[in-house]
Amino acid sequence: MTMLDSHSHAITAAHEIERRTGSHREGVSAGPRLTIVVPTYCEAENVEPLIEALDTALAGIRWEVIFVDDDSPDGTSNLVRQRGERDSRVRAIRRIGRRGLAGAVIEGMLAAAGKIVAVIDGDLQHDERLLSGMLAEIELGADLVIASRYIGAGNAGSGFSKSRQRSSVFATRLTNMLLKTQVSDPMSGFFMIRREVIEAIAPKLSTDGFKLLLDILASSPELKITELPYTFRPRLLGASKLDGLVVADFAGLLLAKFTSNRVSPRFFLFALVGASGLFVHLAVLRTIVVLPVAPFYLAQFLAALVAMTTNFFLNNALTFRDRRLTGLNALKGLGVFYLVCSVGTFANVGIAELIYLRDPSWWLAGIAGAVMAAAFNYSASAMLTWRK
């Protein structure tokens, strides 16, 4: 039996299950078998085309679609609601003050009425025609079905540039090596899963970043997984939301899972920014000392001030971008950040001194003090500077 024949058999089985399990109570309509979660930000142009594509691809199957929108300024959520007024299968969740692809998808999955949940992008790059075959695989026993660009006839097509294809392949190999996953496309954003699985592991999942599937695989390695090939399509409308920050998000999530969540992705980014601040500090210090335009103590103070300032704006753009401060709030946040870092410096010196008195290993004392300061600055910044 060919792969195509296998898929056709699976789809036929799914429709037979639909016929047998349909509601027979008069006046009561059965709920959806399948919920499709679509995370969006500024995808107004794609709302209607995606719904129409789902309607065609899922003919004969009870389904609903939940658009989880991060308060798009282009009115994406309003368009979804307008369609929902005419079509009860269409729902909208508008998130205020919360950002992040993974968090949006988790929120939509937990709000699903269907016992089976699919995740698909709102840009029409994922082939919605594969959904019925994915559903059939779930109903035949799989816990998770991944639409893969790197198995069988699947490919990244013209939807990926050559550089993005190379990056994706490298990330896949690195993930499988470090996390011991055994799937061809752990970076896929197109997959289907039993809702009960998500409800069980939701507390373990990170709401930050883009790679939710990777998080699911690392958090629940015992799942029965099936992969189906598909071709990644080029975006026709709207603009891609992926940027260079995805690399940092991926590295943070990978580290978190490799350390069994002992290091959070957000703390990793905070520490990365802090490390860059050290180079800024030394560059400014050297410039002032070499000129020279100020005594050393003043040069040290100015270098620290510049480093804290660059750290604040980098953290505002990267680490806490889902809570990003703007305008007057950014200036207030900068002042609070200065205060937090000053207290962290005292913690650094105090801990280092305490350890040095017990063990005169200067490097050990220095590292311990720096780690304590980083942990304090991160916790205090999250609560005071970028509080929710």
Side-chain angles (χ1 to χ4, degrees):
M1 181 180 292
T2 66
M3 181 178 290
L4 182 61
D5 291 334
S6 177
H7 289 172
S8 299
H9 175 72
I11 293 171
T12 302
H15 286 304
E16 176 62 20
I17 294 172
E18 165 75 14
R19 185 188 66 77
R20 294 200 309 266
T21 59
S23 173
H24 299 291
R25 295 175 57 193
E26 185 176 353
V28 177
S29 60
R33 282 167 57 200
L34 174 66
T35 296
I36 303 101
V37 175
V38 185
T40 59
Y41 183 74
C42 291
E43 294 287 3
E45 296 174 290
N46 288 315
V47 169
E48 286 293 340
L50 178 57
I51 294 173
E52 295 304 321
L54 291 174
D55 195 33
T56 300
L58 297 173
I61 298 173
R62 300 189 314 274
W63 59 274
E64 67 169 353
V65 60
I66 303 176
F67 289 83
V68 187
D69 185 64
D70 284 356
D71 198 25
S72 298
D74 71 345
T76 298
S77 59
N78 287 334
L79 285 176
V80 175
R81 286 198 188 92
Q82 290 171 14
R83 177 61 186 253
E85 291 173 359
R86 309 188 306 272
D87 188 343
S88 61
R89 299 173 300 176
V90 179
R91 298 164 55 192
I93 295 177
R94 180 186 174 194
R95 304 205 308 164
I96 305 295
R98 304 190 303 285
R99 292 288 172 87
L101 182 63
V105 172
I106 293 169
E107 202 163 321
M109 288 174 138
L110 296 179
K115 291 186 177 181
I116 300 169
V117 186
V119 179
I120 190 170
D121 282 353
D123 54 16
L124 298 171
Q125 290 187 277
H126 294 157
D127 190 349
E128 71 288 336
R129 294 172 298 179
L130 193 63
L131 286 169
S132 58
M134 296 168 74
L135 177 62
E137 294 291 343
I138 291 279
E139 292 183 328
L140 289 174
D143 297 312
L144 170 66
V145 179
I146 301 170
S148 173
R149 297 160 291 186
Y150 307 121
I151 191 173
N155 66 79
S158 56
F160 261 8
S161 65
K162 293 295 183 182
S163 61
R164 279 189 65 186
Q165 286 188 44
R166 287 193 295 268
S167 298
S168 179
V169 171
F170 172 76
T172 295
R173 291 174 179 171
L174 184 62
T175 297
N176 285 333
M177 180 181 70
L178 292 180
L179 302 184
K180 303 296 190 295
T181 51
Q182 299 298 325
V183 299
S184 67
D185 198 356
M187 304 294 120
S188 179
F190 185 15
F191 59 93
M192 188 179 292
I193 193 168
R194 296 183 186 275
R195 192 188 66 207
E196 63 190 38
V197 173
I198 285 297
E199 289 177 342
I201 66 174
K204 303 177 185 177
L205 302 177
S206 171
T207 58
D208 301 319
F210 292 82
K211 302 304 180 185
L212 179 61
L213 177 60
L214 185 157
D215 201 353
I216 291 171
L217 291 169
S219 300
S220 192
E222 73 285 354
L223 296 178
K224 183 178 179 182
I225 300 170
T226 298
E227 295 187 83
L228 297 181
Y230 86 107
T231 297
F232 191 64
R233 300 186 295 212
R235 173 187 276 271
L236 298 178
L237 300 171
S240 174
K241 312 306 182 299
L242 299 181
D243 52 31
L245 298 182
V246 175
V247 177
D249 279 326
F250 167 71
L253 180 58
L254 205 59
L255 179 63
K257 294 306 167 185
F258 186 66
T259 60
S260 301
N261 291 321
R262 292 184 181 89
V263 178
S264 75
R266 199 188 293 271
F267 178 75
F268 167 77
L269 296 177
F270 190 87
L272 197 64
V273 169
S276 73
L278 175 61
F279 289 99
V280 172
H281 181 105
L282 293 176
V284 174
L285 181 62
R286 183 181 185 280
T287 300
I288 297 175
V289 169
V290 169
L291 285 179
V293 295
F296 183 80
Y297 74 88
L298 183 57
Q300 178 76 346
F301 171 77
L302 291 174
L305 189 66
V306 172
M308 284 190 290
T309 303
T310 58
N311 281 4
F312 170 79
F313 286 106
L314 283 173
N315 278 313
N316 197 45
L318 177 61
T319 311
F320 296 99
R321 65 185 180 277
D322 56 328
R323 311 179 199 174
R324 186 173 297 164
L325 302 174
T326 59
L328 185 59
N329 286 331
L331 293 178
K332 291 179 180 177
L334 179 59
V336 174
F337 189 71
Y338 285 152
L339 181 61
V340 166
C341 290
S342 298
V343 175
T345 299
F346 285 114
N348 182 341
V349 173
I351 292 297
E353 177 71 12
L354 181 62
I355 292 177
Y356 185 73
L357 289 175
R358 296 186 177 186
D359 181 355
S361 299
W362 62 268
W363 58 272
L364 178 62
I367 292 175
V371 170
M372 175 57 69
F376 173 84
N377 288 343
Y378 171 70
S379 300
S381 294
M383 291 188 295
L384 300 176
T385 308
W386 287 281
R387 61 184 181 275
K388 289 186 178 181

